[in-house]
Amino acid sequence: MQRLLIVLLAAVDAIVAAAIGLAALLAPLAVIWAVAFGTHADWGALWPSAATLWQFGHGVPLTVALPDALVNAVGVNPAAASFALSVPPLLFLGFTAIFAARSGRRAALAGSWIAGVASGTATFAVISALAALTGGLGVLKAPFWLAILFPPLVFLCGALAGAIATAWSEGDGGVVDRVQDVLDRRPDWAHVPGDIVRGSAAAAAGVVGAAALAVAVAGVVRGGQSVALFESLRADGLGVVVIGLAQLAYVPTLVAWAVAWIAGPGFAIGAGTAVSPAGTVLGVVPGVPLLGLVPDSSSPWALIVVLLPIAAGAFAGWVIRSRQVSAAAEAGIGPRVATAAGIAALAGGFGALLAALSQGSLGPGRLAVAGPDPGPVALALGLEVLVGAAILLLAPRRHGDVDAAWIDDDRDRSADRLA
């Protein structure tokens, strides 16, 4: 495929990704505007609101400054009239990253992933700059340069991940193939980078899946608490819709908190608080229905959840080991140790990234500290995945496994002769 066509298609991918994200905000906001304000609606504020929330969904921190008239009318403490809001709804960020990864994969399959990634990122940066220039409200303000930088950075990371993974498995006739040629000079170590990435992806998927299951279980067990908080808000129909949509966007953020919880370190909802399997210390929690899923106490039996990341690491080790055995190319002890260590390092880095994206400020005062701490999450998750991966990767194989592998090889040879 011609490089110009790849560049154009990647730019279209970026435009579509941004358009879907913005439309997902503009559509419900337009309905809310029409129902809430009727013929007196200020439609000029619709786009700035959507653009600011879109930036916030990509990790851009916001500064909330309540007007003096509202502060005096409601009786809010003037010290709490201005605060930071920096725990983003990860639904938008995740969508952009996944869409960008698909775009990067298509560019790699077309044969020019560097040009495709550069074109898509540049296009997304232009859209982000336009949103930063035309967005912004008096109450919600985003730092200008961060509003321009963060959304295309999300797109770039997703596109690079999809493109490099595809180029590594399919070849690109360029820099990735040259790296593989260098690695092929040492056959025992040539497959280690690919195994590390494949194993860490399996471990990360296992951990996130376990965290999502934990959130679902909390929804069943503590759903009554969320319903009670919903009722205490005494919102009308429009308010229920707005609150429900906002909470839906924050479900991935709650899953990221659950990752920190099953890893052990847990997370905070305010200064001086802690929610972890080892113990829970909570003060006054904001009356947000979604926070009703957070456990207000803990049990010693809750520590058993740390086995889940170990199981995810064991699953990753099994995936790599079984793949090597089926290919009759099992590595020596050195490459297997390096693979286990690499899987643990990338899994720990993934946990730190989730924690960094989901931490920040939820409001004034003590709520300025919320979410998990990246350092402890990375250390705990990395060590737990290391234990599980090392058990499967470093354990000696049984003779039955060897015989089964030989039988499979004999069957393959027989099939080749018959063909």
Side-chain angles (χ1 to χ4, degrees):
M1 186 179 294
Q2 293 183 356
R3 181 169 298 182
L4 177 59
L5 184 57
I6 296 173
V7 168
L8 293 176
L9 290 176
V12 170
D13 283 339
I15 294 172
V16 172
I20 292 176
L22 289 167
L25 286 167
L26 280 170
L29 282 177
V31 175
I32 293 169
W33 244 248
V35 174
F37 304 110
T39 57
H40 303 288
D42 181 11
W43 294 102
L46 181 61
W47 167 254
S49 301
T52 301
L53 293 177
W54 182 76
Q55 294 159 0
F56 180 52
H58 287 82
V60 180
L62 299 180
T63 299
V64 181
L66 300 178
D68 294 337
L70 179 62
V71 172
N72 296 330
V74 180
V76 178
N77 185 352
S82 179
F83 55 90
L85 189 62
S86 56
V87 178
L90 294 181
L91 181 65
F92 295 97
L93 187 149
F95 168 79
T96 297
I98 293 172
F99 204 98
R102 292 174 60 86
S103 176
R105 173 177 171 77
R106 284 193 290 268
L109 291 174
S112 184
W113 64 269
I114 295 178
V117 169
S119 173
T121 303
T123 303
F124 209 84
V126 171
I127 298 172
S128 178
L130 292 174
L133 289 169
T134 58
L137 295 171
V139 176
L140 297 176
K141 293 183 179 179
F144 181 72
W145 290 110
L146 295 183
I148 294 177
L149 177 64
F150 276 17
L153 182 61
V154 172
F155 190 94
L156 174 63
C157 292
L160 280 177
I164 294 177
T166 304
W168 188 272
S169 60
E170 303 292 337
D172 68 340
V175 62
V176 174
D177 283 348
R178 287 195 291 270
V179 171
Q180 289 183 330
D181 290 340
V182 173
L183 292 173
D184 287 341
R185 297 170 187 170
R186 302 192 65 180
D188 289 344
W189 294 86
H191 58 83
V192 171
D195 288 345
I196 289 175
V197 175
R198 189 176 293 107
S200 60
V207 171
V208 172
L213 180 61
V215 172
V217 171
V220 174
V221 175
R222 296 185 56 83
Q225 299 288 337
S226 294
V227 172
L229 287 173
F230 238 125
E231 293 174 345
S232 66
L233 295 176
R234 299 187 178 183
D236 57 8
L238 180 61
V240 170
V241 172
V242 172
I243 295 171
L245 291 175
Q247 291 187 122
L248 180 63
Y250 268 98
V251 168
T253 305
L254 195 61
V255 172
W257 289 9
V259 168
W261 187 78
I262 66 174
F267 56 91
I269 308 178
T273 66
V275 181
S276 72
T280 298
V281 179
L282 283 177
V284 179
V285 177
V288 179
L290 192 63
L291 294 181
L293 303 183
V294 176
D296 52 11
S297 62
S298 60
S299 167
W301 290 102
L303 290 171
I304 199 171
V305 299
V306 300
L307 295 176
L308 295 175
I310 296 176
F315 172 69
W318 173 80
V319 169
I320 301 305
R321 191 75 178 271
S322 61
R323 188 171 181 272
Q324 292 178 355
V325 171
S326 64
E330 189 172 12
I333 187 66
R336 280 185 281 150
V337 170
T339 300
I343 290 173
L346 284 187
F350 173 75
L353 178 63
L354 280 183
L357 291 174
S358 61
Q359 72 164 176
S361 172
L362 282 175
R366 57 189 295 273
L367 292 178
V369 178
D373 190 349
V377 172
L379 180 61
L381 188 60
L383 290 176
E384 290 158 359
V385 170
L386 177 62
V387 171
I391 291 174
L392 268 291
L393 282 173
L394 304 183
R397 285 199 294 123
R398 295 175 299 176
H399 292 293
D401 296 336
V402 177
D403 294 339
W406 285 345
I407 291 172
D408 291 338
D409 290 341
D410 290 339
R411 289 175 179 173
D412 293 339
R413 294 192 191 99
S414 298
D416 292 339
R417 293 192 193 100
L418 291 175

